[in-house]
Amino acid sequence: MHGLILKTLQVFVQDTYGPDSWADIADQAALDVPEFEAMLNYPKEIFSDVLQAGEKVLNKPWEAILEDVGTYLVSHPNSEGLRRLLRFGGVDFTEFLHSLDDLPDRARLAVADLKLPDLELRDLTSVQFSLKVEGDLPGFCFVIMGVLRAMADDYGALVLLDHAGGPSERLQLVDVTVVETAYAEGREFELGAVHVPSEGAA
């Protein structure tokens, strides 16, 4: 398990619930060292141990915790760099969806040894899509759902998301329905020195 993934989970808890909550999680997960190093690798079981401890300490299902992590990755001020990377995917939310197939490769450009699950978008209609999430990171589909919710808000789009399950833990599906691409005013985004208003902006 790449340390960057575990470090992200740690920082999310510390920023959202406070350092004491993370200390309780680290204690319940029996971590030898309560602080993860982003560039190290850890045994895979640690990820599950931390999530199970998180369920108890935060009184929230692990699926909801991971979805909140996805939202945090886009919306928190500490993650502005990732938000900018994602916004390069398109001028509206639908274009962004079609850029998701390239996301794991773009992540590897930033961190060469970081292997995220593969993403494959299938168009069902012009507004309905099925996103296949396939890989060895348990629950990553819920992180992606959080990212999608936050990015929809960022673009000002009205979107419905549903975890559609899948044939195995390794392969999961997320159903996406784009109700309206310009439902509300999105967040401002600047591409270099050029200001790019969100499609939902007045």
Side-chain angles (χ1 to χ4, degrees):
M1 174 68 65
H2 199 290
L4 182 60
I5 295 169
L6 293 166
K7 185 68 174 182
T8 298
L9 188 53
Q10 172 195 326
V11 173
F12 158 74
V13 172
Q14 291 172 327
D15 285 348
T16 307
Y17 297 96
D20 289 343
S21 292
W22 174 251
D24 290 343
I25 290 173
D27 183 57
Q28 290 210 25
L31 299 181
D32 292 333
V33 179
E35 301 282 329
F36 291 116
E37 293 291 336
M39 291 295 107
L40 295 181
N41 286 303
Y42 294 85
K44 238 173 126 175
E45 301 75 34
I46 290 182
F47 184 71
S48 297
D49 292 343
V50 170
L51 282 181
Q52 289 174 9
E55 283 191 308
K56 297 174 184 176
V57 173
L58 305 179
N59 193 29
K60 180 177 285 195
W62 65 266
E63 297 92 339
I65 294 172
L66 289 181
E67 188 168 336
D68 288 347
V69 170
T71 301
Y72 168 88
L73 284 172
V74 175
S75 59
H76 197 275
N78 290 347
S79 304
E80 182 62 25
L82 177 59
R83 176 200 170 229
R84 287 182 58 80
L85 176 66
L86 294 173
R87 282 296 296 259
F88 278 116
V91 297
D92 63 22
F93 184 77
T94 302
E95 280 195 15
F96 162 73
L97 283 177
H98 285 97
S99 76
L100 288 173
D101 293 13
D102 299 327
L103 184 59
D105 289 335
R106 281 187 279 158
R108 277 193 289 273
L109 288 176
V111 184
D113 59 343
L114 177 62
K115 174 143 179 59
L116 296 180
D118 292 327
L119 304 175
E120 183 181 332
L121 187 75
R122 187 160 65 98
D123 295 45
L124 304 179
T125 69
S126 61
V127 296
Q128 292 180 307
F129 309 89
S130 177
L131 180 64
K132 182 170 74 173
V133 183
E134 184 173 12
D136 295 323
L137 184 57
F140 189 70
C141 60
F142 296 104
V143 177
I144 285 295
M145 287 180 68
V147 168
L148 292 178
R149 289 192 200 282
M151 289 303 295
D153 288 343
D154 208 274
Y155 278 104
L158 178 61
V159 173
L160 302 177
L161 301 173
D162 184 43
H163 174 231
S168 68
E169 185 180 81
R170 195 176 188 282
L171 199 166
Q172 296 284 294
L173 300 172
V174 176
D175 289 336
V176 184
T177 302
V178 181
V179 179
E180 191 173 341
T181 57
Y183 177 73
E185 184 173 346
R187 291 173 62 192
E188 291 185 356
F189 176 66
E190 291 187 1
L191 182 60
V194 180
H195 169 67
V196 180
S198 175
E199 186 179 336

